[in-house]
Amino acid sequence: MPSSFLVRSRFSDFDHFAESVEAWRLDFRRLDRAPFDADVLQFGSAAAQMGRAQFRSRLHQRGDTPPGMRTIVIPLDDSQTFLWRGHQVNSTTLMVFPEGAELESFSGPGFKIITFSIRSAAIDRLADTLEIPGLDRLTAGADVIELPQQTMRFLRERADEVLTVAATASSWARTPAMRAEIESRLPRQILLALAGAAGVAESSGPSRRGRAIR
């Protein structure tokens, strides 16, 4: 994976799409006669990446998530439902891939998602800094987490805002400020949302206050 990258295009040919997407190995099968049609925006660094995808065909999606990373998926449309890794998901479902897990999804026209991937060690360090349990303990090993609608709306809008900035100012997508967004700020907000759903409070004990003072 390059140190930084930006993919932004509309695809009508799946092979071209699969060759252009960074770090994902994808195998889609069409479930209708509609031609393949996809809008994709993806940017990131070697440590973390984000993507926004919309498909206008009924598809069986299979593939591998970026290796060495934990991947989280946020539905982008309030009304869509689809089948993901055997679970029926909707707009309030946060999808958390187990480490090394495969993608399998059945989706219809209008499928719109945001994907977020970060190095496993990096999100573990961030959870430790926040003094909350790691990702697997926060989710209790589940790969679908139902969050309050307001929380999901916040995560959706926050992630979409970052992607929109990257799309409208492509040079900005490669700056230290944008790397900080995807390597620190956004994963922190995701972890805190999961901690809130699990009833875990962010620590404000002496060690955390000491770090803040330093």
Side-chain angles (χ1 to χ4, degrees), residues 37 53-58 76-82 107-113:
D37 186 16
Q54 178 175 4
F55 303 127
R56 297 176 182 83
S57 307
R58 292 182 64 241
L76 191 53
D77 191 301
D78 272 332
S79 61
Q80 71 177 332
T81 61
F82 54 92
S107 59
F111 176 77
K112 297 168 65 176
I113 58 166

Side-chain angles (χ1 to χ4, degrees), residues 45-214:
S45 66
Q49 62 171 267
M50 291 186 69
R52 182 171 60 202
Q54 178 175 4
F55 303 127
R56 297 176 182 83
S57 307
R58 292 182 64 241
L59 298 170
H60 177 202
Q61 308 176 30
R62 299 188 67 181
D64 296 325
T65 56
M69 291 185 164
R70 298 304 302 270
T71 295
I72 294 163
V73 179
I74 303 171
L76 191 53
D77 191 301
D78 272 332
S79 61
Q80 71 177 332
T81 61
F82 54 92
L83 191 65
W84 181 84
R85 290 177 49 81
H87 303 281
Q88 188 75 30
V89 303
N90 55 46
S91 62
T92 59
T93 308
L94 190 72
M95 291 153 276
V96 181
F97 277 94
E99 192 160 10
E102 293 184 348
L103 161 68
E104 183 170 27
S105 174
F106 291 88
S107 59
F111 176 77
K112 297 168 65 176
I113 58 166
I114 291 174
T115 63
F116 174 75
S117 301
I118 184 170
R119 290 287 175 195
S120 301
I123 200 163
D124 288 343
R125 286 194 301 269
L126 183 55
D128 185 61
T129 299
L130 295 170
E131 297 185 12
I132 60 176
L135 191 57
D136 287 330
R137 288 181 59 197
L138 285 175
T139 62
D143 50 4
V144 292
I145 308 296
E146 292 296 323
L147 294 179
Q149 189 175 50
Q150 184 176 1
T151 301
M152 283 298 293
R153 185 175 294 118
F154 168 77
L155 291 178
R156 183 182 301 120
E157 291 176 355
R158 183 73 188 88
D160 201 38
E161 177 184 25
V162 173
L163 285 159
T164 298
V165 171
T168 54
S170 58
S171 60
W172 185 246
R174 297 179 173 88
T175 64
M178 285 300 279
R179 287 199 299 272
E181 286 287 347
I182 62 172
E183 294 175 14
S184 177
R185 295 188 186 97
L186 184 60
R188 179 182 185 276
Q189 291 163 337
I190 291 171
L191 284 172
L192 291 177
L194 289 169
V200 176
E202 182 183 7
S203 174
S204 58
S207 61
R208 181 168 175 78
R209 287 198 298 270
R211 282 198 299 271
I213 291 170
R214 288 195 296 273

